[in-house]
PDB file of all heavy atoms in Angstrom:
ATOM      1  N   LYS A 164     -41.086   7.794  -2.710  1.00 98.00           N
ATOM      2  CA  LYS A 164     -41.092   8.346  -4.094  1.00 98.00           C
ATOM      3  C   LYS A 164     -41.914   9.569  -4.135  1.00 98.00           C
ATOM      4  O   LYS A 164     -41.447  10.494  -4.862  1.00 98.00           O
ATOM      5  CB  LYS A 164     -41.599   7.272  -4.954  1.00 98.00           C
ATOM      6  CG  LYS A 164     -41.675   7.654  -6.411  1.00 98.00           C
ATOM      7  CD  LYS A 164     -40.244   7.624  -7.085  1.00 98.00           C
ATOM      8  CE  LYS A 164     -40.330   7.831  -8.602  1.00 98.00           C
ATOM      9  NZ  LYS A 164     -38.993   7.764  -9.245  1.00 98.00           N
ATOM     10  N   ASP A 165     -43.016   9.582  -3.512  1.00 98.00           N
ATOM     11  CA  ASP A 165     -44.034  10.702  -3.706  1.00 98.00           C
ATOM     12  C   ASP A 165     -44.051  11.649  -2.490  1.00 98.00           C
ATOM     13  O   ASP A 165     -44.929  12.545  -2.404  1.00 98.00           O
ATOM     14  CB  ASP A 165     -45.438  10.244  -3.883  1.00 98.00           C
ATOM     15  CG  ASP A 165     -45.536   9.375  -5.266  1.00 98.00           C
ATOM     16  OD1 ASP A 165     -44.913   9.842  -6.186  1.00 98.00           O
ATOM     17  OD2 ASP A 165     -46.117   8.346  -5.175  1.00 98.00           O
ATOM     18  N   ALA A 166     -43.039  11.488  -1.519  1.00 98.00           N
ATOM     19  CA  ALA A 166     -43.068  12.356  -0.331  1.00 98.00           C
ATOM     20  C   ALA A 166     -42.622  13.737  -0.637  1.00 98.00           C
ATOM     21  O   ALA A 166     -41.800  13.956  -1.565  1.00 98.00           O
ATOM     22  CB  ALA A 166     -42.114  11.703   0.651  1.00 98.00           C
ATOM     23  N   PRO A 167     -43.096  14.746   0.022  1.00 97.00           N
ATOM     24  CA  PRO A 167     -42.634  16.105  -0.081  1.00 97.00           C
ATOM     25  C   PRO A 167     -41.074  16.202   0.110  1.00 97.00           C
ATOM     26  O   PRO A 167     -40.558  15.321   0.819  1.00 97.00           O
ATOM     27  CB  PRO A 167     -43.405  16.889   0.981  1.00 97.00           C
ATOM     28  CG  PRO A 167     -44.584  16.058   1.186  1.00 97.00           C
ATOM     29  CD  PRO A 167     -44.172  14.645   1.105  1.00 97.00           C
ATOM     30  N   ASP A 168     -40.429  17.299  -0.461  1.00 95.00           N
ATOM     31  CA  ASP A 168     -38.908  17.263  -0.539  1.00 95.00           C
ATOM     32  C   ASP A 168     -38.199  16.986   0.812  1.00 95.00           C
ATOM     33  O   ASP A 168     -37.420  16.145   0.907  1.00 95.00           O
ATOM     34  CB  ASP A 168     -38.576  18.654  -1.046  1.00 95.00           C
ATOM     35  CG  ASP A 168     -38.818  18.747  -2.566  1.00 95.00           C
ATOM     36  OD1 ASP A 168     -39.209  17.809  -3.208  1.00 95.00           O
ATOM     37  OD2 ASP A 168     -38.604  19.818  -3.183  1.00 95.00           O
ATOM     38  N   ARG A 169     -38.625  17.690   1.864  1.00 95.00           N
ATOM     39  CA  ARG A 169     -37.942  17.628   3.142  1.00 95.00           C
ATOM     40  C   ARG A 169     -38.039  16.277   3.746  1.00 95.00           C
ATOM     41  O   ARG A 169     -37.167  15.615   4.294  1.00 95.00           O
ATOM     42  CB  ARG A 169     -38.350  18.750   4.038  1.00 95.00           C
ATOM     43  CG  ARG A 169     -37.393  18.800   5.338  1.00 95.00           C
ATOM     44  CD  ARG A 169     -37.892  19.844   6.319  1.00 95.00           C
ATOM     45  NE  ARG A 169     -37.914  21.200   5.760  1.00 95.00           N
ATOM     46  CZ  ARG A 169     -38.254  22.264   6.428  1.00 95.00           C
ATOM     47  NH1 ARG A 169     -38.594  22.137   7.713  1.00 95.00           N
ATOM     48  NH2 ARG A 169     -38.223  23.505   5.869  1.00 95.00           N
ATOM     49  N   LEU A 170     -39.331  15.745   3.723  1.00 97.00           N
ATOM     50  CA  LEU A 170     -39.571  14.409   4.139  1.00 97.00           C
ATOM     51  C   LEU A 170     -38.928  13.356   3.355  1.00 97.00           C
ATOM     52  O   LEU A 170     -38.363  12.386   3.859  1.00 97.00           O
ATOM     53  CB  LEU A 170     -41.135  14.172   4.239  1.00 97.00           C
ATOM     54  CG  LEU A 170     -41.562  12.818   4.712  1.00 97.00           C
ATOM     55  CD1 LEU A 170     -41.091  12.395   6.129  1.00 97.00           C
ATOM     56  CD2 LEU A 170     -43.177  12.766   4.688  1.00 97.00           C
ATOM     57  N   GLN A 171     -38.968  13.515   2.056  1.00 98.00           N
ATOM     58  CA  GLN A 171     -38.263  12.645   1.254  1.00 98.00           C
ATOM     59  C   GLN A 171     -36.830  12.542   1.399  1.00 98.00           C
ATOM     60  O   GLN A 171     -36.172  11.409   1.470  1.00 98.00           O
ATOM     61  CB  GLN A 171     -38.551  12.997  -0.326  1.00 98.00           C
ATOM     62  CG  GLN A 171     -37.934  12.008  -1.409  1.00 98.00           C
ATOM     63  CD  GLN A 171     -37.986  12.588  -2.794  1.00 98.00           C
ATOM     64  OE1 GLN A 171     -37.212  13.403  -3.190  1.00 98.00           O
ATOM     65  NE2 GLN A 171     -38.881  11.969  -3.549  1.00 98.00           N
ATOM     66  N   TRP A 172     -36.136  13.668   1.673  1.00 97.00           N
ATOM     67  CA  TRP A 172     -34.763  13.673   1.972  1.00 97.00           C
ATOM     68  C   TRP A 172     -34.476  12.993   3.314  1.00 97.00           C
ATOM     69  O   TRP A 172     -33.527  12.167   3.404  1.00 97.00           O
ATOM     70  CB  TRP A 172     -34.275  15.183   2.156  1.00 97.00           C
ATOM     71  CG  TRP A 172     -32.799  15.372   2.314  1.00 97.00           C
ATOM     72  CD1 TRP A 172     -32.060  15.209   3.451  1.00 97.00           C
ATOM     73  CD2 TRP A 172     -31.851  15.515   1.137  1.00 97.00           C
ATOM     74  NE1 TRP A 172     -30.756  15.504   3.265  1.00 97.00           N
ATOM     75  CE2 TRP A 172     -30.597  15.695   1.839  1.00 97.00           C
ATOM     76  CE3 TRP A 172     -32.001  15.700  -0.104  1.00 97.00           C
ATOM     77  CZ2 TRP A 172     -29.433  15.771   1.189  1.00 97.00           C
ATOM     78  CZ3 TRP A 172     -30.780  15.944  -0.900  1.00 97.00           C
ATOM     79  CH2 TRP A 172     -29.565  15.922  -0.256  1.00 97.00           C
ATOM     80  N   ALA A 173     -35.255  13.144   4.346  1.00 98.00           N
ATOM     81  CA  ALA A 173     -35.042  12.418   5.576  1.00 98.00           C
ATOM     82  C   ALA A 173     -35.277  10.819   5.437  1.00 98.00           C
ATOM     83  O   ALA A 173     -34.507  10.129   6.004  1.00 98.00           O
ATOM     84  CB  ALA A 173     -35.994  12.978   6.620  1.00 98.00           C
ATOM     85  N   MET A 174     -36.309  10.543   4.579  1.00 98.00           N
ATOM     86  CA  MET A 174     -36.472   9.096   4.466  1.00 98.00           C
ATOM     87  C   MET A 174     -35.297   8.489   3.656  1.00 98.00           C
ATOM     88  O   MET A 174     -34.887   7.343   3.957  1.00 98.00           O
ATOM     89  CB  MET A 174     -37.831   8.847   3.736  1.00 98.00           C
ATOM     90  CG  MET A 174     -39.058   9.278   4.473  1.00 98.00           C
ATOM     91  SD  MET A 174     -40.609   9.172   3.497  1.00 98.00           S
ATOM     92  CE  MET A 174     -40.948   7.463   3.622  1.00 98.00           C
ATOM     93  N   ASN A 175     -34.789   9.268   2.682  1.00 98.00           N
ATOM     94  CA  ASN A 175     -33.702   8.718   1.974  1.00 98.00           C
ATOM     95  C   ASN A 175     -32.429   8.618   2.737  1.00 98.00           C
ATOM     96  O   ASN A 175     -31.707   7.580   2.619  1.00 98.00           O
ATOM     97  CB  ASN A 175     -33.464   9.651   0.737  1.00 98.00           C
ATOM     98  CG  ASN A 175     -32.265   9.253  -0.115  1.00 98.00           C
ATOM     99  OD1 ASN A 175     -32.416   8.228  -0.838  1.00 98.00           O
ATOM    100  ND2 ASN A 175     -31.124   9.863  -0.067  1.00 98.00           N
TER     101      ASN A 175
END
Side-chain angles (χ1 to χ4, degrees):
K164 180 77 171 178
D165 298 319
D168 287 351
R169 191 182 300 181
L170 178 55
Q171 184 185 72
W172 187 275
M174 295 174 82
N175 183 71

